[in-house]
């Protein structure tokens, strides 16, 4: 509504596109893109940042809300406990790469 260009970063592209369509239904001027991001995967985090940078958009606000809570014990693709990988490592890595501008 304020004219921001919003990137929805999600592992579930179908759900993200549905969210995008729901927003566009209420505001057909909304600028929204969907990019794939699996926060539990360090490769996915790197790929997301590269794709975002290629868009040449400014990064003004980063909302790190995605997370899991008390999921059954499982390991991420990188062999790290899933809740720790998702809630801590993934978002910290993403924020660090953005801050350090190392792409
Ligand atoms: N609800 C509470 O009472 C509460 C309390 C304290 C803290 N929190 C924290 O607040 C945040 C949001 O909670 P919520 O209740 O809204 O949770 P939620 O309904 O389970 O939503 C979590 C979102 O995170 C996404 N997500 C999970 N793992 C992901 C991954 N590896 N990569 C990308 N996206 C991923 C999920 O995507 P999918 O659609 O793909 O599953 C989902 O959209 C979480 O970090 C949670 O730990 C919640």
């Amino acid at each position: 509504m304020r004219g921001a260009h919003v990137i929805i970063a999600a592992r579930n592209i179908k759900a993200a596109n549905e969210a995008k369509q729901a927003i566009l239904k209420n505001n057909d001027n909304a600028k929204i893109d969907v990019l794939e991001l699996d926060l539990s995967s360090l490769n996915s985090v790197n790929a997301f940042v590269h794709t975002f940078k290629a868009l040449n958009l400014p990064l003004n606000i980063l909302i790190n809300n995605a997370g899991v809570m008390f999921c059954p014990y499982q390991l991420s693709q990188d062999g790290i406990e899933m809740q720790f990988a998702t809630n801590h490592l993934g978002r910290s890595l993403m924020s660090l790469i953005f801050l350090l501008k190392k792409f």
Side-chain angles (χ1 to χ4, degrees):
M1 289 172 68
R2 289 176 181 264
H5 189 156
V6 175
I7 307 293
I8 302 178
R11 62 180 172 176
N12 184 340
I13 297 299
K14 184 172 175 287
N17 276 317
E18 286 168 4
K20 173 181 172 176
Q21 291 310 320
I23 295 166
L24 288 172
K25 212 171 160 186
N26 288 311
N27 177 3
D28 53 12
N29 290 323
K31 285 176 281 182
I32 306 168
D33 285 312
V34 169
L35 293 185
E36 187 167 358
L37 170 64
D38 179 349
L39 273 173
S40 72
S41 157
L42 302 181
N43 276 341
S44 176
V45 170
N46 269 318
F48 167 78
V49 175
H50 275 91
T51 306
F52 176 83
K53 284 301 291 177
L55 295 175
N56 279 318
L57 293 172
L59 175 60
N60 300 123
I61 300 174
L62 182 59
I63 302 175
N64 281 330
N65 182 64
V68 289
M69 190 83 161
F70 300 127
C71 57
Y73 179 80
Q74 57 191 304
L75 297 178
S76 70
Q77 288 172 17
D78 305 304
I80 299 163
E81 192 281 319
M82 187 59 86
Q83 185 167 325
F84 184 65
T86 305
N87 295 8
H88 301 284
L89 291 186
R91 64 176 65 174
S92 300
L93 175 67
M94 184 165 67
S95 303
L96 263 178
I97 301 175
F98 275 127
L99 280 173
L100 298 174
K101 297 189 188 301
K102 286 194 174 169
F103 305 110

